[in-house]
Amino acid sequence: MSTPSTYNTSTLFLRALSRAGITHAFVNWGSDHPALLEELERQRVESGTKETNPSIVTCPNEMVALSAAQGFAQATGKIAAVIVHVDVGTQALAGAVHNVDRSRTPVFIYAGASPFSAEGEHKGTRNEWIMWIQDIPDQTAIIRQYMRHTAQIGSAKTVEKSVKRALQIATSDPKGPVYLWGRREVMEEEVDPAAIASISDMTGWTSIEPAALSPAATNKIATALMQASSPLIITSYLGRSKTAVPALLSLASILSLPVISACPSAVNVPFSHPSYAGVTFLSPGSHWSGLSTADVILVLDCDLPWISVNDKPREGARVFVVDGGDPLKISVGHWHVDAELVCRADAEVALEQIEKELRGMGVRSEGEKWDLTNDVEGVEAKVQARRERSAQAHSALVAELDEAERVLPFFLPADKDTSSISFTFTVPNLMGVLRRTLNETSPTLRANTLILNESISNYPAVWMHLRPQFPGNIISSGGSSLGWALGAAVGASLGGRTFNGGQGKNAYELIVVIVGDGSFMFGVPSSAYWMARRYETPFLTIVLNNGGWKSPKLSMLGVHPTGHGSSVSGAELSVGFGPSSPDYAQIAVAASSGWAWGARVGGVDAAMKGKSGLELQEELHKVIVEAVRVVLEEKRCAVVDCILESI
């Protein structure tokens, strides 16, 4: 009598993922995964190395799992898998689903489903009470509107094609998450061992090639930019493609075009470049001062270029919208920009086309002789005048940031109930200390540091005062659901280690997470720091602790600036965490069984009484230096809880 096959649909499923190039699966197991668990153990036994393909990363929380997969993809450009448990695990992916959708991050998500048989008709039939209550009418409805593709795995014979189609869609613009699900009996379906060898790589299932501008659109945009008196480029996420940044800088340089990053989620322009015009998160009066006078605006890979009730371009401004995947933002209920042209084209390709068109017209780089057939409008002179104004504006911006960073830590008025005195510091000062510490630690450290920015109400200050110089240096979630950064840091570290040529080194010397205290708690630190220790992914966390959620208060003030809530504390508004806020550093220490290192700076500290602002800043600097050392030398997580002035 022959021995039953130990190979099944789950064998083929994991093989298909591995052959497609997926190296890691971030998992949270359940009753729908017996075949997967058995198959992974078979791999460990047969390999003799305890290794599996893909590598399994245990995640005690599903949102952290998906955030880790997002960070992995953001840091490496490589897609990862997430495996969760039926409907409840799908629901527990939570706000991370929104983030991977809005950030256009490719992630492969798989969930099992309750068995369809209950009388022993198939291997994997129902045998636990939860399988009745977890059998819902439409499991994919939980997540469908955020996915690029959803499908059911129907059989062992079709599982490879199901996986490949999902991956092909996920990695084609507009990139994003995909979701496959399978019943337990289907994943247990036995197969002939020969079927395993037949699983192939993604040959024949290539992603869609980047699109280009039409010749007519290229000429119209190039001509408009060349003839403009006050042109402007606005982008949000062009820098997600590191190779698109040089193309942007080349075009910006040739015509001296200012570039403003609106709600950025990547480094689009190095801080030192003269075209760097700053960052805006579109609050009233925060946009670039030249928006209202710009006569030609190129909106390029941008979530939202302006909010008309806050700041808007002048009447008659010529606007061109270019986006590689979704220029009309079809998944957004209401989105509109009055535009002369709306084009679906890859940013790097489009920028190179526009510059080539300009050079064909006779435009040349700075220092080269222009060759315009007819320069009756004084184009070259306009460009030179802009170049001089841009240099002056950039110098003024640097001086303004320097001035803000010179505001030293200071003591707050004594508490009226306890008479205790606490000290605090501004975010610009803190970011200046962090930036200088990175510069001082090693000549290469700042260039090889990845910063995950989830500072929310402090987004503008963090982006501006870190003064990012390198594409890929800083990223954010690209969405609005808080809790991304901690899990993403684990995933980014694993990805950096995997795709750095081996030898156990990481593509990043240092990973830094900057979060508000609200974001820290949303990030499920009990799971994230457990994972960091388990998988040896050390990172530095800076908690900007303002005692609650400042953003809801700011939203209220935006609508009711002088209302009842305008003059009360965050605690009174129910958005504060006081009077006894958590000890965030010690949460990390506890979650990692003492492995993580933690410190608190600011707040009530008797040892600081009577010290000067310079002495307080030196204390802050010492703590940051030690935290960086712990991560770099001891390879442990470090958390610095920085007490800001309370909301």
Side-chain angles (χ1 to χ4, degrees):
M1 184 175 179
S2 61
T3 303
S5 171
T6 59
Y7 304 107
N8 52 36
T9 305
S10 293
T11 307
L12 303 182
F13 172 73
L14 293 173
R15 177 71 169 172
L17 292 178
S18 179
R19 292 286 283 136
I22 289 183
T23 59
H24 287 74
F26 297 88
V27 305
N28 190 287
W29 300 116
S31 59
D32 44 336
H33 301 133
L36 288 169
L37 289 168
E38 179 66 15
E39 165 59 22
L40 289 165
E41 188 56 30
R42 183 195 64 75
Q43 287 188 25
R44 295 184 189 99
V45 171
E46 291 188 358
S47 70
T49 63
K50 296 295 184 181
E51 299 295 326
T52 64
N53 289 305
S55 295
I56 300 301
V57 182
T58 301
C59 305
N61 175 272
E62 291 89 344
M63 181 171 175
V64 177
L66 185 49
S67 296
Q70 181 180 353
F72 185 100
Q74 288 176 300
T76 65
K78 307 291 186 180
I79 189 170
V82 173
I83 299 176
V84 294
H85 169 50
V86 298
D87 63 324
V88 292
T90 301
Q91 291 171 320
L93 292 168
V97 173
H98 161 94
N99 289 338
V100 291
D101 170 31
R102 293 309 189 202
S103 67
R104 303 186 188 180
T105 304
V107 179
F108 179 96
I109 304 170
Y110 169 78
S114 287
F116 57 79
S117 61
E119 303 293 335
E121 302 96 321
H122 300 277
K123 188 175 184 178
T125 193
R126 295 186 185 187
N127 60 357
E128 300 175 54
W129 68 273
I130 56 172
M131 295 173 181
W132 274 261
I133 62 174
Q134 290 174 342
D135 187 9
I136 62 171
D138 189 357
Q139 184 169 303
T140 55
I142 300 168
I143 205 170
R144 185 180 292 118
Q145 64 181 317
Y146 297 96
M147 297 294 110
R148 301 296 180 269
H149 170 73
T150 63
Q152 180 179 1
I153 295 174
S155 72
K157 291 182 179 179
T158 59
V159 65
E160 179 184 9
K161 290 186 173 72
S162 295
V163 168
K164 288 181 174 179
R165 173 163 170 75
L167 291 173
Q168 184 181 37
I169 293 171
T171 55
S172 295
D173 285 322
K175 298 180 178 73
V178 293
Y179 181 84
L180 294 189
W181 65 282
R183 298 282 185 183
R184 197 163 82 155
E185 299 96 327
V186 171
M187 300 306 286
E188 291 279 1
E189 180 186 344
E190 295 183 0
V191 300
D192 190 293
I196 303 170
S198 70
I199 300 292
S200 62
D201 60 20
M202 289 292 287
T203 300
W205 297 79
T206 57
S207 307
I208 296 173
E209 282 294 301
L213 294 171
S214 69
T218 303
N219 179 266
K220 180 172 280 193
I221 296 171
T223 302
L225 288 171
M226 181 182 69
Q227 295 177 347
S229 295
S230 183
L232 171 64
I233 296 177
I234 305 177
T235 184
S236 298
Y237 47 82
L238 174 140
R240 290 176 189 165
S241 169
K242 294 180 183 179
T243 59
V245 175
L248 173 62
L249 299 183
S250 183
L251 177 63
S253 296
I254 198 173
L255 287 180
S256 190
L257 304 172
V259 182
I260 183 79
S261 290
C263 310
S265 52
V267 178
N268 301 308
V269 182
F271 177 83
S272 62
H273 195 277
S275 287
Y276 180 92
V279 165
T280 176
F281 280 80
L282 307 181
S283 59
S286 71
H287 218 296
W288 182 60
S289 59
L291 175 67
S292 60
T293 58
D295 56 350
V296 175
I297 303 174
L298 177 57
V299 178
L300 185 63
D301 278 1
C302 187
D303 287 316
L304 188 65
W306 54 76
I307 298 174
S308 295
V309 297
N310 294 344
D311 300 286
K312 63 182 179 181
R314 76 183 199 186
E315 286 291 326
R318 301 179 70 186
V319 178
F320 303 93
V321 175
V322 178
D323 188 287
D326 183 16
L328 292 179
K329 311 295 187 286
I330 59 175
S331 66
V332 177
H334 174 72
W335 191 96
H336 176 71
V337 170
D338 279 334
E340 188 172 328
L341 284 179
V342 178
C343 307
R344 180 182 282 115
D346 176 79
E348 181 180 0
V349 173
L351 288 163
E352 290 173 348
Q353 286 180 283
I354 294 168
E355 180 170 340
K356 183 178 180 181
E357 188 78 6
L358 287 166
R359 289 187 177 277
M361 297 173 181
V363 176
R364 297 292 181 263
S365 300
E366 183 180 11
E368 296 179 11
K369 182 176 176 57
W370 285 39
D371 190 26
L372 296 179
T373 303
N374 186 4
D375 191 15
V376 294
E377 297 187 24
V379 172
E380 188 174 1
K382 288 180 184 177
V383 171
Q384 183 56 36
R386 276 203 304 273
R387 207 179 303 281
E388 293 170 3
R389 289 196 302 271
S390 293
Q392 293 168 0
H394 196 275
S395 295
L397 174 62
V398 171
E400 180 184 339
L401 297 177
D402 286 345
E403 183 66 24
E405 291 175 18
R406 281 194 286 268
V407 176
L408 295 172
F410 55 94
F411 286 99
L412 295 169
D415 185 273
K416 63 181 179 180
D417 297 321
T418 65
S419 298
S420 60
I421 297 177
S422 60
F423 79 94
T424 188
F425 27 75
T426 66
V427 173
N429 178 260
L430 173 58
M431 291 301 104
V433 170
L434 175 61
R435 188 186 72 250
R436 290 190 293 273
T437 300
L438 298 182
N439 289 338
E440 295 163 0
T441 302
S442 140
T444 63
L445 182 58
R446 192 173 167 205
N448 295 310
T449 293
L450 175 66
I451 297 175
L452 292 83
N453 181 3
E454 197 176 20
S455 55
I456 311 304
S457 59
N458 285 300
Y459 265 149
V462 171
W463 274 103
M464 294 286 278
H465 289 278
L466 285 178
R467 310 186 191 189
Q469 276 294 104
F470 309 98
N473 223 185
I474 305 181
I475 58 175
S476 69
S477 72
S480 64
S481 183
L482 306 189
W484 157 82
L486 300 182
V490 174
S493 181
L494 285 170
R497 194 163 69 209
T498 302
F499 294 100
N500 191 43
Q503 291 86 46
K505 294 183 179 179
N506 202 300
Y508 304 104
E509 288 186 55
L510 177 67
I511 293 177
V512 180
V513 167
I514 301 175
V515 289
D517 45 340
S519 296
F520 183 89
M521 291 205 284
F522 275 126
V524 197
S526 57
S527 290
Y529 288 102
W530 176 87
M531 290 169 61
R533 180 177 187 179
R534 170 76 177 271
Y535 298 103
E536 298 179 340
T537 57
F539 56 92
L540 167 62
T541 304
I542 304 292
V543 182
L544 304 180
N545 183 352
N546 58 16
W549 295 308
K550 187 175 183 179
S551 293
K553 182 176 181 179
L554 294 176
S555 296
M556 180 205 68
L557 292 172
V559 180
H560 304 283
T562 58
H564 293 294
S566 62
S567 59
V568 300
S569 68
E572 178 73 15
L573 281 175
S574 71
V575 298
F577 300 154
S580 301
S581 294
D583 189 333
Y584 300 112
Q586 292 308 307
I587 290 174
V589 172
S592 62
S593 297
W595 173 75
W597 176 94
R600 173 176 280 183
V601 187
V604 178
D605 188 341
M608 297 296 108
K609 187 174 181 180
K611 293 200 172 185
S612 68
L614 281 173
E615 289 173 317
L616 295 175
Q617 179 164 290
E618 183 56 30
E619 290 298 322
L620 170 63
H621 179 247
K622 287 179 181 177
V623 172
I624 299 293
V625 167
E626 177 61 11
V628 170
R629 188 199 66 78
V630 166
V631 178
L632 292 178
E633 297 180 11
E634 299 182 13
K635 307 299 181 186
R636 296 192 288 147
C637 278
V639 179
V640 181
D641 183 1
C642 301
I643 310 299
L644 306 179
E645 194 165 2
S646 177
I647 61 171

